[in-house]
Amino acid sequence: MNDNIKKVLRHPTQSEGLIFEKSSPGKRAFDLPPLDVPPVDAAKALGEFHRGGGVEGFPEVSEIEVLRHFTRLSTWNYAIDLGMYPLGSCTMKYNPRVNEFVARLAGLATEHPYQPQELSQGCLKILQLLEKCLLEITGMDAVTLQPAAGAQGELTGILLIRAHHEKLGNPRKTVLIPDSAHGTNPATAIIAGYQVQNIKSSDEGQIDIARLVEQVTGDVAALMLTNPSTLGIFEQRIAEIAKVLHAKGALLYMDGANMNALAGVTRPGDLGVDVMHLNLHKTFSTPHGGGGPGAGPVATKKILEPYLPVPVLVEKEGGRLVLDYHRKESIGRVRAFGGNFGVLVRALAYILAYGPGVRQATEDAVLNANYIRKHLEGVFDLPYTRPSMHEVVFSDALQKKHGVNTMDIAKRLIDYGFHPYTTAFPLIVPGALMIEPTESESKEECDLFIDAMKSIAREAEADPEVVKTAPHTTRVRRLDEVAAARKPVLRWKPGGKKSEAAD
Ligand SMILES: *Cc1c(COP(=O)(O)O)cnc(C)c1O
C-alpha cells in the first residue's frame, strides 16, 4: 500500500475503534447541578421497578466522543446519498426525503395494528388508495399488499396458482423457469411443492416459442417469467407465451421486480400475465440497502382473487373499510397484520407525487442504462445485443485475457468512489457485470461512472496487478464475504480484544 494511503488510514476518521475502547472511568456526557432537595435512594423509591446499577462495562465517554464515534462509523458505509449505486437487479434509486417525512407523520408512524378498525380508517384508506394505484400501474384486477419482500410475493403468487389448480382437481407438478430468471424463482417453486423445469434462452436472450410449445404439457402449473429478464432485455413475445400457456390451462407468473423498466409505459395485465409481484422497495422508492424492510405486493387477475391471503381490505356501505379475515378459499395468512405499513406509505407518497410522471422515471431509467451501454460497448464485452431496458449486462471476457475478472473490476470501482455493480449474475453470462444506474443519476454522474470504468479497463491492460489487488483506499481490503454472516461477533467483553486496524 502506498505511504500516503497508509497515512490517511491512520487518521481516526478511518481507524475508529470500538466505543468501549474509548471509555475512561467516571467520564460523563452530562453534568447535573448540585441537588437542592434531599437525596432519595432510588432502589427504595422505585421498588421492583428499580433496574439496578446499569450495564457492566458500559462505555463512559463524553458527548463529543459519542457523536464523533457514530458519525465516523456512518462515513464508512456507501450510500445512495453519497453517490451512484449501480447494483444491477436491485434498483437502488434515490428515495425522496419527503417520503420519509410522510412515513414519520404522527397518526401514521404511531398507529397500532391492534387498535379498533373504526379508529384506523385513515390508515386503511391509504392501503386502499395504494391498491388502486398498483392495479392501475399493473393492469390487474386484485392485489394483496401483505408480502414483505419480492421473494415472499413470489411464494404467495405460486401458492395462489396452486390453489387454483387444486380447485380444478389437480395441483399439477411442474413450474417452467427460463435460465435468465432470478434465483428466487426456482427456490419459490420448490418451496411451493413443484418441480422446476428449465427453459433455455435463445441467443437473443428470449424464450424460444417453438420449444415452449413442446414443454407446456398438462403437468405444467405455470411459467415464471422475469420481464424484463435479468439480462435487462424485454421478452417481446410475452403475449404469445401467455396464449401457449393458457391453451394448456397453465398460468403465467411475472416476476415484476424489474418494473422500473415498465411502470407507466406498459401493463403486464394487458400482456396476458395472470399474477405478478412488485418490489415496492425497488421500483417505488424505499431505501433498501442493508436488507430491508421491503414490500412485495401480489397483483392477480380475477380467477385468482378468491385465494388471496387474509385479511382482504373490503369497502362496506358508506365507504367504511374493514379487514375481512373470513374467506373460505384463501391460502391463509402470509404475514402479520396488513403488511409493512411504513413501506406502503412511502410507495403511495412516491406514486402520488409523480402521478403520470412515473412514465418519465421509467423512460429516464432506460435512457441512463442505454447511455452507459453505448459508451462502454467495445470497452467491455456485450454478450446479448438486444436493446437494454433498465440495466445492461456486460461480461469480463476482454479483461480475462489479462487475468482480471468482474470481481476485481468491481472492487477497483470502490477506489473510484462508486458502489460496485452486481457481479457474476445473471448466471447465464459468465463473469457478468450487471449495471443499473436508475433514473436518479444525472448525465454528469453517469459520465463519471463511464470514465471510471474506462480507466479501469485501461489499467486491466497496462497494470492488471493494481486491479487484482483492489480496493486500495478503503479501511479494509478484500474480506471473507461469508464469515461476517456465518461467524458474527456481536458482543464486546470488557477487557476483550482490541478491534483490528486496517492492514
Ligand atoms: C430483487 C429481485 C427478487 C427478490 O426480491 P426480494 O425483495 O429481494 O425478495 C426477485 N426477482 C428479481 C428479478 C429481483 O430483481
Side-chain angles (χ1 to χ4, degrees):
M1 198 186 301
N2 107 13
D3 280 350
N4 268 340
I5 293 172
K6 274 190 188 152
K7 236 181 268 164
V8 171
L9 292 183
R10 268 200 302 275
H11 187 273
T13 58
Q14 286 302 309
S15 59
E16 183 74 5
L18 299 174
I19 194 165
F20 297 92
E21 296 163 6
K22 291 180 185 283
S23 181
S24 17
K27 221 178 203 185
R28 288 279 178 277
F30 58 89
D31 196 10
L32 297 176
L35 274 184
D36 57 0
V37 291
V40 173
D41 182 344
K44 266 195 204 138
L46 293 173
E48 60 169 314
F49 297 110
H50 187 240
R51 286 283 172 256
V55 182
E56 193 202 344
F58 200 74
E60 298 179 78
V61 286
S62 70
E63 182 170 325
I64 184 74
E65 282 172 327
V66 176
L67 247 156
R68 280 201 181 139
H69 175 70
F70 289 106
T71 306
R72 282 170 183 171
L73 293 188
S74 76
T75 65
W76 295 356
N77 243 350
Y78 196 84
I80 194 74
D81 291 356
L82 280 173
M84 187 170 163
Y85 215 122
L87 203 54
S89 199
C90 296
T91 313
M92 304 300 283
K93 64 165 87 173
Y94 173 66
N95 178 52
R97 282 298 184 277
V98 66
N99 300 351
E100 294 302 312
F101 168 77
V102 173
R104 285 167 173 74
L105 286 176
L108 296 182
T110 59
E111 298 303 271
H112 197 283
Y114 274 140
Q115 76 194 33
Q117 288 184 28
E118 309 85 76
L119 299 181
S120 305
Q121 289 296 302
C123 291
L124 296 181
K125 194 94 199 154
I126 285 173
L127 299 184
Q128 187 195 36
L129 189 53
L130 178 61
E131 288 188 0
K132 283 185 182 162
C133 291
L134 297 182
L135 291 180
E136 180 63 34
I137 289 170
T138 56
M140 306 295 277
D141 301 322
V143 63
T144 172
L145 301 177
Q146 287 177 48
Q152 202 193 7
E154 289 172 31
L155 181 60
T156 304
I158 295 297
L159 289 178
L160 297 177
I161 290 175
R162 192 176 182 96
H164 160 81
H165 289 307
E166 271 170 358
K167 179 86 185 293
L168 298 177
N170 174 10
R172 304 191 173 199
K173 292 199 183 101
T174 309
V175 168
L176 301 179
I177 301 182
D179 52 10
S180 61
H182 195 264
T184 48
N185 291 189
T188 292
I190 298 286
I191 290 178
Y194 286 110
Q195 297 162 2
V196 171
Q197 200 180 322
N198 225 264
I199 303 185
K200 226 173 115 29
S201 297
S202 69
D203 294 344
E204 304 244 280
Q206 303 267 306
I207 285 183
D208 178 339
I209 304 264
R211 210 179 302 161
L212 180 70
V213 171
E214 287 166 23
Q215 281 185 277
V216 183
T217 64
D219 271 346
V220 171
L223 165 67
M224 290 183 90
L225 186 71
T226 304
N227 197 20
S229 70
T230 53
L231 293 166
I233 296 174
F234 187 75
E235 188 63 63
Q236 278 187 307
R237 296 169 76 181
I238 182 168
E240 250 176 280
I241 292 170
K243 284 205 188 102
V244 170
L245 293 161
H246 292 158
K248 290 282 171 64
L251 299 183
L252 177 56
Y253 183 97
M254 193 184 107
D255 180 328
N258 294 338
M259 275 298 280
N260 216 44
L262 305 182
V265 176
T266 191
R267 309 195 312 165
D270 300 338
L271 304 173
V273 170
D274 298 295
V275 49
M276 66 180 293
H277 78 266
L278 294 159
N279 289 50
L280 297 190
H281 47 292
K282 293 182 180 169
T283 317
F284 299 103
S285 157
T286 276
H288 63 289
V298 173
T300 73
K301 288 284 174 58
K302 271 253 163 346
I303 46 160
L304 296 178
E305 186 176 11
Y307 315 110
L308 283 179
V310 285
V312 171
L313 189 59
V314 199
E315 184 168 340
K316 297 283 188 189
E317 267 167 56
R320 191 168 58 90
L321 294 169
V322 295
L323 291 171
D324 182 3
Y325 286 84
H326 307 288
R327 292 170 56 103
K328 277 207 298 288
E329 296 182 297
S330 166
I331 58 166
R333 301 196 66 132
V334 298
R335 196 191 177 283
F337 309 115
N340 267 341
F341 186 66
V343 177
L344 303 174
V345 170
R346 285 178 181 85
L348 182 63
Y350 175 84
I351 292 169
L352 292 183
Y354 270 179
V358 165
R359 183 189 175 100
Q360 195 192 333
T362 299
E363 289 171 350
D364 289 353
V366 173
L367 181 65
N368 276 352
N370 282 283
Y371 182 76
I372 288 175
R373 168 191 167 141
K374 204 72 213 156
H375 282 84
L376 292 181
E377 242 182 293
V379 181
F380 294 92
D381 168 61
L382 188 69
Y384 291 89
T385 52
R386 289 193 79 87
S388 295
M389 296 293 286
H390 62 303
E391 62 197 358
V392 53
V393 180
F394 293 102
S395 96
D396 61 11
L398 301 176
Q399 288 68 37
K400 269 271 173 64
K401 292 177 195 147
H402 310 287
V404 170
N405 66 28
T406 179
M407 183 62 91
D408 302 326
I409 301 165
K411 295 291 185 195
R412 183 64 174 144
L413 204 45
I414 298 172
D415 289 334
Y416 284 80
F418 291 96
H419 192 281
Y421 51 78
T422 295
T423 55
F425 181 77
L427 300 177
I428 49 170
V429 176
L433 290 68
M434 190 194 213
I435 300 167
E436 180 180 9
T438 84
E439 71 278 15
S440 303
E441 301 311 325
S442 64
K443 178 176 175 297
E444 289 72 20
E445 194 73 20
C446 290
D447 284 336
L448 285 176
F449 177 78
I450 290 163
D451 287 348
M453 291 296 286
K454 283 183 174 169
S455 171
I456 296 170
R458 279 193 301 272
E459 287 175 339
E461 270 188 69
D463 188 5
E465 218 35 50
V466 90
V467 184
K468 282 159 69 176
T469 52
H472 302 280
T473 55
T474 48
R475 194 177 157 271
V476 286
R477 308 287 290 281
R478 295 212 188 181
L479 300 172
D480 180 334
E481 293 169 353
V482 183
R486 300 263 163 88
K487 296 180 194 155
V489 181
L490 301 176
R491 255 177 219 288
W492 181 84
K493 291 192 197 76
K497 220 173 98 198
K498 288 256 176 198
S499 58
E500 292 193 342
D503 76 334

